[in-house]
C-alpha cells in the first residue's frame, strides 16, 4: 500500500472514495473536525472544496487505495505568509478502520514528512485529540509534544475535549 500524491483532477476522481473514508473515520470517533453522523453529502463537498487548494499548491494530498477504495490519506497544508514558508501543517491523517494496525498511518506520516523536506519545509506541526490513538503514533514517530489546549473541540457527545499540539523538525 503505497501513498500516491494527488493532483486536483485525481482528487476529484477519487472524491467518492475519500468521502467514504472521511465518513468512516468520523463514525469511528476520530477528531478530524467533523461530528458523527457525518452526512456523506457534506463529506463530498468538503473534499471537492480541497481541489482548488491542491491546484494552487497550497495543499498536498496523498491517498492509498486497496481493493478499489481509498483506505488512507494525509495532507500537508503549506503556510501562505512570507515569514512562515518554512513550515507546514499535517492535516487529516486518516486510515480506514478495516486496515488499521498494518502500519499505514506511519507510512502516510512518513510520506508527508519526506515530501515536506523535498519542498524545503523544515518544521511540521499538527494537533490531535488528547489521549487519542493518534497520539501514540506521533510520539513513536519522533514528534515533540508542545502542549495541550483545554476545551478545544467538542466530541460526538458535545463534551469539550483538549487537543495536543505536536511539532517535528524535518
Amino acid at each position: 500500500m503505497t501513498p500516491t500524491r494527488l493532483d486536483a483532477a485525481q482528487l476529484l476522481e477519487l472524491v467518492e472514495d475519500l468521502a467514504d473514508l472521511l465518513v468512516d473515520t468520523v463514525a469511528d470517533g476520530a477528531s478530524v473536525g467533523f461530528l458523527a453522523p457525518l452526512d456523506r453529502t457534506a463529506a463530498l463537498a468538503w473534499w471537492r472544496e480541497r481541489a482548488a487548494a491542491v491546484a494552487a499548491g497550497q495543499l498536498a494530498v496523498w491517498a492509498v487505495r486497496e481493493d478499489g477504495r481509498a483506505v488512507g490519506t494525509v495532507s500537508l497544508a503549506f503556510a501562505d505568509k512570507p515569514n512562515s514558508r518554512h513550515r507546514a501543517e499535517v492535516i487529516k491523517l486518516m486510515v480506514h478502520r478495516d486496515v488499521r494496525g498494518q502500519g499505514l498511518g506511519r507510512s502516510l506520516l512518513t510520506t508527508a514528512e519526506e515530501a515536506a523536506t523535498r519542498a524545503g519545509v523544515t518544521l511540521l506541526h499538527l494537533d490531535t485529540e488528547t489521549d487519542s490513538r493518534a497520539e501514540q503514533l506521533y510520539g513513536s514517530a519522533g514528534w515533540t509534544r508542545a502542549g495541550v489546549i483545554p476545551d478545544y473541540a467538542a466530541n460526538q457527545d458535545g463534551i469539550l475535549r483538549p487537543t495536543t499540539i505536536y511539532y517535528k523538525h524535518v
Side-chain angles (χ1 to χ4, degrees):
M1 291 190 282
T2 303
T4 301
R5 185 169 177 173
L6 306 177
D7 62 25
Q10 291 167 320
L11 185 148
L12 291 172
E13 287 172 15
L14 288 179
V15 73
E16 301 274 339
D17 282 355
L18 293 168
D20 290 341
L21 175 59
L22 179 56
V23 168
D24 175 76
T25 302
V26 172
D28 195 40
S31 178
V32 290
F34 300 91
L35 295 174
L38 176 58
D39 179 72
R40 189 168 187 272
T41 302
L44 285 163
W46 186 85
W47 274 111
R48 285 185 181 117
E49 291 168 4
R50 307 285 77 82
V54 169
Q58 300 164 330
L59 182 70
V61 177
W62 290 265
V64 173
R65 294 189 65 169
E66 181 180 74
D67 298 329
R69 67 183 177 132
V71 294
T73 188
V74 69
S75 299
L76 272 180
F78 296 100
D80 61 352
K81 308 274 186 306
N83 72 341
S84 56
R85 300 248 162 87
H86 66 287
R87 69 177 188 246
E89 182 178 9
V90 174
I91 60 172
K92 302 296 185 269
L93 174 57
M94 297 182 275
V95 175
H96 196 283
R97 59 184 137 180
D98 290 348
V99 296
R100 290 202 186 124
Q102 299 177 29
L104 184 53
R106 183 171 302 275
S107 174
L108 287 160
L109 187 58
T110 298
T111 295
E113 292 171 0
E114 291 172 353
T117 299
R118 287 191 303 275
V121 170
T122 59
L123 179 66
L124 293 173
H125 63 95
L126 60 84
D127 71 271
T128 191
E129 184 177 354
T130 303
D131 297 327
S132 67
R133 291 180 298 225
E135 274 203 283
Q136 297 170 10
L137 170 63
Y138 302 129
S140 69
W143 286 69
T144 301
R145 188 176 193 209
V148 175
I149 301 173
D151 301 334
Y152 189 77
N155 69 9
Q156 289 151 178
D157 298 321
I159 298 169
L160 295 178
R161 297 279 301 132
T163 195
T164 304
I165 308 297
Y166 284 88
Y167 70 91
K168 185 174 188 179
H169 286 98
V170 292

